[in-house]
Amino acid sequence: MGRVVVFGSINLDTVLEVPHIAAPGETVGGFGLETFPGGKGGNQALAAHNAGADVCLVGKVGMDAAGQQMIDFYRGEGLPIDGIGNSELPTGAAFIQVERDGGENAIVVVAGANGDFTVADADAVEIAPDDVIVAMFEVPIAVNEALFSRARGIGAQTVLNPSPAHPCPPGLFASTTHLVLNETELAVLSGHPISETSSDGFIAAAVSALEAPAGMVVVVTRGPGGARGFAAGDVIPMPGRRVDAVDTTGAGDCFTGVYAARLAAGDDVETAMIYANAAAAISVTRPGAATSLPTHAEIESLLRRKWS
């Protein structure tokens, strides 16, 4: 069993509960304000850790109160902090509007320390052939590319979550073995307009338009609609589960982290998707991102129930 090595962002999230997402120029009265640990890197690492994986989180925080708060949180959760460095820039931050009914969200991210990475930082990350390396777009993409290239050179699996949505450099794309993305991100990478009502056939056409390298697995998360996997010419349908959503923030990170954890445990793509889909269904029933992530026991318990 290999490790899950997550190279990514660490943020302190400020969550605003609102009646609806504010439109440009609109002022909306909020119902409440809370702060939570977040950042896609931290969320995905903690999701994998909670799912039972041996995890190394490689990230940076500022030398400020927010950074210390994040370190204390991870330490309390039992997530190793050896890979977290300090930056003279402030700790990354995210400001999140969450609708009271339905849990939909809109997010603004300020990179701060998450942008303070060089290729030398990537070169310093220890990688073994049986590791699963995870990266996203809240840290410098050029550094992701260097890390993935080295990982593929020794035979490690790589999982890219291209979020926030941004075109993917050819070198990084070529070094990715598992692409995990949502409909918005698929639309940006493929050039196909996609919505939550798009048919599975339309999703498949968009995936085909990616012209993914041979052997790449593409997993498209569809929120309440579950997920669709595309591997070696096969389509893996994964229906959604009916739950009462409270906050969808971090659901994609939960899916990605648990998916990587199951790959590191030796599972095939379909089994990894089953676990990740169940974990994400649990996460949306709880507020916050890092604070909503389920344990391995909770995921197993849900999987033992009748599908609903």
Side-chain angles (χ1 to χ4, degrees), residues 158-188:
T158 55
V159 177
L160 178 64
N161 176 219
S163 178
H166 188 282
C168 187
L172 178 58
F173 201 61
S175 297
T176 298
T177 57
H178 298 261
L179 184 69
V180 180
L181 71 175
N182 65 21
E183 294 158 337
T184 299
E185 293 143 12
L186 177 60
V188 170

Side-chain angles (χ1 to χ4, degrees), residues 128-148:
D130 57 352
D131 288 342
V132 176
I133 316 303
V134 183
M136 68 294 306
F137 284 174
E138 285 186 343
V139 291
I141 295 177
V143 184
N144 285 338
E145 188 171 354
L147 180 63
F148 270 30

Side-chain angles (χ1 to χ4, degrees), residues 62-175:
M63 293 179 284
D64 49 24
Q68 189 59 54
Q69 182 176 340
M70 296 304 299
I71 293 295
D72 291 343
F73 172 74
Y74 293 138
R75 185 181 286 118
E77 294 294 312
L79 181 68
I81 60 172
D82 298 350
I84 302 176
N86 290 321
S87 170
E88 294 184 358
L89 297 175
T91 298
F95 302 90
I96 306 166
Q97 298 180 63
V98 178
E99 291 183 346
R100 170 173 280 188
D101 297 324
E104 288 300 322
N105 64 66
I107 306 173
V108 175
V109 176
V110 180
N114 298 314
D116 189 18
F117 282 97
T118 65
V119 171
D121 291 316
D123 290 342
V125 179
E126 294 185 6
I127 302 172
D130 57 352
D131 288 342
V132 176
I133 316 303
V134 183
M136 68 294 306
F137 284 174
E138 285 186 343
V139 291
I141 295 177
V143 184
N144 285 338
E145 188 171 354
L147 180 63
F148 270 30
S149 178
R150 184 161 64 90
R152 292 303 301 140
I154 65 172
Q157 296 186 79
T158 55
V159 177
L160 178 64
N161 176 219
S163 178
H166 188 282
C168 187
L172 178 58
F173 201 61
S175 297

